[in-house]
């Protein structure tokens, strides 16, 4: 089970994603905009953040850039889940620091798969390395 924060201003989409990921065994908090999400990230660091690109107050790209510059948050994996469909939008999100990009509407199985892949990648990345054997 992973703790996931989802920044999304559409309540129905928030409920759909939350239910999908909770059914997959994760704990999911939904936050209504980028500013709320940033406050929540600073209070309790999740295993993964999912952000929409278009939100009031602070959009997804701005949130990602702030997270990537924060020494306490920079290593949180971030998945963008957005209705923006162009390759240019995806490139902008990736340049800001997104680790994954999924377009709405989405297949629930695809969302769960991407979330699990990002969580696995983050776990492998942060796993301590075994001590090196030394010969005397």
């Amino acid at each position: 089970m992973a703790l996931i924060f989802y920044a999304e201003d559409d309540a129905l989409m928030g409920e759909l994603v939350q239910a999908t990921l909770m059914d997959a065994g994760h704990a999911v908090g939904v936050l209504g905009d980028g500013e709320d999400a940033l406050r929540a990230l600073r209070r309790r660091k999740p295993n993964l953040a999912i952000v929409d690109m278009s939100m009031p107050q602070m959009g997804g790209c701005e949130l990602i850039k702030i997270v990537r510059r924060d020494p306490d948050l920079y290593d949180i994996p971030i998945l963008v889940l957005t209705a923006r469909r162009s390759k240019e939008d995806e490139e902008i999100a990736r340049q800001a620091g997104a680790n994954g990009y999924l377009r709405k509407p989405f297949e629930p199985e695809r969302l769960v798969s991407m979330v699990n892949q990002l969580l696995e990648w983050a776990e492998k990345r942060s796993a301590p390395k075994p001590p090196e054997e030394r010969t005397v």
Side-chain angles (χ1 to χ4, degrees):
M1 180 183 85
L3 174 61
I4 300 169
F5 287 168
Y6 178 34
E8 170 64 67
D9 61 319
D10 179 332
L12 264 113
M13 182 60 64
E15 289 176 21
L16 174 65
V17 169
Q18 184 178 46
T20 299
L21 295 176
M22 287 178 73
D23 287 348
H26 302 297
V28 182
V30 180
L31 304 135
D33 63 53
E35 288 181 357
D36 286 345
L38 184 58
R39 282 190 290 277
L41 290 168
R42 289 182 170 151
R43 276 193 310 272
R44 182 162 184 207
K45 187 175 175 179
N47 302 99
L48 174 75
I50 303 174
V51 302
D52 184 21
M53 293 297 285
S54 302
M55 294 182 289
Q57 311 304 319
M58 179 189 304
C61 268
E62 186 179 353
L63 175 61
I64 294 168
K65 289 176 184 177
I66 291 169
V67 168
R68 292 298 181 233
R69 289 189 306 256
D70 189 309
D72 295 324
L73 304 175
Y74 74 93
D75 59 342
I76 297 171
I78 299 174
L79 172 63
V80 170
L81 179 58
T82 185
R84 293 187 182 178
R85 307 198 64 71
S86 76
K87 282 289 187 191
E88 292 79 19
D89 286 322
E90 182 174 353
E91 185 61 31
I92 289 167
R94 290 195 182 273
Q95 286 179 0
N99 301 99
Y101 195 91
L102 182 60
R103 290 168 180 84
K104 298 174 190 172
F106 62 91
E107 293 294 324
E109 299 83 18
R110 179 74 175 130
L111 173 63
V112 171
S113 174
M114 287 187 76
V115 163
N116 289 336
Q117 287 174 14
L118 285 170
L119 291 168
E120 185 177 309
W121 168 78
E123 183 66 30
K124 286 180 182 177
R125 180 186 63 172
S126 64
K129 294 180 181 172
E132 292 182 29
E133 290 185 29
R134 294 203 273 181
T135 57
V136 181

